[in-house]
Amino acid sequence: MEVRESGVKVRGSAAGQTGERGGATVCLLAVGLAFVMVGLFGAAVGAARTARQQARVAADFGALAGAGQALLGEPAACGRAAEITAANGGRLLACRLDGLDVLVTAEVAVTPLPGLARVASATARAGPVRG
């Protein structure tokens, strides 16, 4: 449709329209998507760090609990370590008695993003003070 106003030829339904309709919307959507991706990445990193810390805590407490039972032998020490590790959200991977020291390895499963499962593990040692 062409409309003549004061000798000027105008195309389109309104004066001043250009062929760049919707360009800013696409740019805004791209920036929004970038923010969402950065947020998801930050959340995944935070979840992994939290799982690593939880594995450390579970291993530390499991080793301390096992060291308290070290005089009763490896089955008693590792049994107690497994109980305390599980109570702290971990799973006992390995436990061994080295003299009166107990070495415990614990793991914690984490799903930082849907469909992405990882495992954080930590090892701790506890025993009597030497000096």
Side-chain angles (χ1 to χ4, degrees):
M1 170 180 211
E2 275 186 27
V3 178
R4 291 193 182 259
E5 293 178 13
S6 337
V8 177
K9 192 188 262 187
V10 179
R11 290 184 172 226
S13 60
Q17 267 190 345
T18 64
E20 297 183 22
R21 292 179 41 191
T25 303
V26 173
C27 288
L28 185 61
L29 286 174
V31 169
L33 181 62
F35 277 125
V36 168
M37 295 303 289
V38 168
L40 284 174
F41 178 75
V45 168
R49 290 182 65 140
T50 301
R52 184 179 61 185
Q53 184 63 30
Q54 187 177 3
R56 285 181 184 166
V57 168
D60 285 343
F61 284 158
L64 287 170
Q69 303 289 320
L71 291 175
L72 300 176
E74 189 168 323
C78 289
R80 186 67 180 148
E83 289 174 18
I84 297 300
T85 300
N88 283 287
R91 185 174 74 89
L92 188 68
L93 284 181
C95 177
R96 73 179 173 94
L97 199 57
D98 183 20
L100 292 176
D101 289 350
V102 176
L103 287 140
V104 170
T105 301
E107 74 174 6
V108 172
V110 63
T111 307
L113 295 173
L116 180 67
R118 294 287 183 241
V119 175
S121 63
T123 301
R125 176 185 207 106
V129 177
R130 292 177 175 65

